[in-house]
Amino acid sequence: MAEQKKLKLGVLTSGGDAPGMNAAIRSVVRTAHHYGIRSYGIKTGYEGLFAGDIEEIDHADVSGIIHRGGTILRTARCAQMMTEEGQKKAAEIIKILRLDAIVIIGGDGSFRGALALSKLGVNVMAIPATIDLDMDCTDYTIGFDTAVNTAADAIIRIRDTSSSHERCSVVEVMGRNSGRLAIMCGLVGGAEEVLIPENPVDTSSVIEQVLHNRSQGKHHNLIVVAEGVGNSNKLAKEIERVLGIEARATVLGHFQRGGTPTARDRMHATIMGYTAVKGIVDDEKSKAVVYRHGKHVLLDIEEATTAKKEYSPRLYDMTKILAI
Ligand code: F6P
């Protein structure tokens, strides 16, 4: 009797890395192994497809990575994949490689690439991973929890020195055009003020707030600024100039994107990786694994790629209420 052909999947990480990506890769490869599917690691995101930088990986190759930050497959933002020509070329390569499915782990840009590939006949399974939590299709994206923990830890350290010196501290966190990461960092870091791009505030009213806080006996003033607002240094200088209160700005930058993923990130990454491969086994076509209402489910890739996640006004208002 002829041996049944083994399915082959490709797995890649794309866009900005996020803590937990390795846990997702491990879960994909090990679940595939369990179901008799061969896994191929595509290096450096979509770039690796074009360069042919692809290698078979098995369960032993993903040993000892569940707790590691970054991505063993490396990642990149691929300009070629943003063009129609590049997308067609990528789909061709996947066909030549006879990959039955591609698991794409990344943020909204990576999902757009996945959607384009699916329209060209490639079976894709997309897993949301970005510290920004800015994808409307899902209540959770891998990496967010670790980034919040890292930033919150930095914020409370800054708060100590801010308090000792009776300074105003402006801490800028990542998030691209989204204020979600900043709001959560502000909430759990006990910030006096959170500035987000979705709700612009005048510098003068920030300054007024700082003054008000001082009059209430606060020894420090902690302002969390989202990357999308930016200009933290300028704001600190302006506060110092107008109020005569010493102010310092700290831009956390890529510091937030590294480090050991939290248990929450490892949990989501593990379940999402498993769900993606189980979808392939169950003959699902072109889906995204999303977390909705407490469950990890498959959603059509087109539906998963459309909307940008709005910030939560409820959480934003909470930052104000709790900052008295
Ligand atoms: O999307 C994740 C993210 O860290 C954003 O918060 C940030 O705007 C961007 O990536 C930075 O990208 P890069 O690492 O390419 O500078």
Side-chain angles (χ1 to χ4, degrees):
M1 201 171 73
E3 205 186 313
Q4 211 187 350
K5 182 185 152 270
K6 267 194 170 188
L7 286 181
K8 285 162 69 174
L9 68 76
V11 53
L12 63 82
T13 48
S14 160
D17 63 354
M21 278 182 161
N22 279 329
I25 296 167
R26 172 183 177 272
S27 176
V28 165
V29 173
R30 293 218 164 154
T31 308
H33 176 82
H34 173 81
Y35 285 107
I37 300 173
R38 291 166 73 176
S39 298
Y40 291 79
I42 301 165
K43 311 287 174 66
T44 333
Y46 294 111
E47 299 270 1
L49 258 187
F50 297 116
D53 196 358
I54 299 160
E55 200 169 65
E56 185 162 4
I57 40 174
D58 205 356
H59 59 100
D61 300 320
V62 292
S63 172
I65 65 165
I66 193 167
H67 61 291
R68 276 171 56 191
T71 156
I72 58 158
L73 293 176
R74 302 190 300 277
T75 185
R77 302 188 192 282
C78 179
Q80 202 176 346
M81 197 55 196
M82 291 171 200
T83 68
E84 220 173 289
E85 210 189 328
Q87 293 158 1
K88 280 187 187 150
K89 195 171 161 194
E92 274 299 301
I93 295 169
I94 292 164
K95 276 172 203 159
I96 293 166
L97 293 169
R98 296 183 193 282
L99 295 174
D100 299 290
I102 300 274
V103 179
I104 293 160
I105 306 167
D108 55 352
S110 312
F111 269 48
R112 279 194 294 278
L115 175 63
L117 289 176
S118 81
K119 287 186 172 166
L120 292 162
V122 177
N123 186 18
V124 298
M125 283 286 160
I127 296 179
T130 166
I131 65 163
D132 301 340
L133 188 57
D134 59 350
M135 300 166 79
D136 198 45
C137 60
T138 183
D139 297 339
Y140 195 75
T141 57
I142 297 167
F144 180 74
D145 190 55
T146 309
V148 169
N149 274 282
T150 305
D153 185 50
I155 289 168
I156 55 163
R157 284 164 196 265
I158 290 170
R159 177 202 203 80
D160 286 345
T161 166
S162 182
S163 208
S164 311
H165 287 263
E166 298 198 86
R167 279 176 179 157
C168 175
S169 289
V170 180
V171 184
E172 187 173 318
V173 300
M174 276 190 164
R176 204 180 285 278
N177 304 315
S178 165
R180 287 192 152 254
L181 183 61
I183 291 174
M184 196 49 77
C185 290
L187 267 181
V188 302
E192 270 65 43
E193 186 88 39
V194 179
L195 306 182
I196 58 169
E198 296 92 336
N199 200 354
V201 176
D202 285 347
T203 304
S204 56
S205 56
V206 177
I207 290 173
E208 243 172 66
Q209 189 61 43
V210 171
L211 197 59
H212 171 76
N213 294 344
R214 193 43 80 89
S215 72
Q216 300 291 301
K218 288 205 179 213
H219 293 296
H220 60 257
N221 262 287
L222 213 71
I223 303 172
V224 172
V225 177
E227 177 188 17
V229 173
N231 292 321
S232 318
N233 273 303
K234 203 169 149 203
L235 177 62
K237 285 206 174 88
E238 197 55 9
I239 290 168
E240 205 163 274
R241 189 187 68 78
V242 177
L243 298 179
I245 294 174
E246 281 190 334
R248 299 285 187 274
T250 308
V251 178
L252 295 183
H254 291 85
F255 180 73
Q256 292 154 100
R257 254 190 16 208
T260 300
T262 59
R264 187 171 187 219
D265 273 324
R266 279 180 267 165
M267 182 268 287
H268 281 289
T270 299
I271 299 173
M272 285 179 173
Y274 167 86
T275 309
V277 178
K278 188 66 174 55
I280 296 167
V281 172
D282 294 343
D283 212 22
E284 296 276 2
K285 297 277 183 259
S286 293
K287 295 282 187 314
V289 182
V290 298
Y291 183 65
R292 283 185 167 183
H293 313 298
K295 285 199 175 96
H296 297 87
V297 293
L298 294 177
L299 189 71
D300 193 75
I301 186 69
E302 182 130 34
E303 205 184 320
T305 310
T306 43
K308 196 104 183 129
K309 204 176 193 67
E310 295 293 314
Y311 80 103
S312 160
R314 193 172 74 95
L315 291 180
Y316 179 67
D317 289 349
M318 237 182 261
T319 66
K320 304 253 169 259
I321 292 166
L322 299 177
I324 32 160

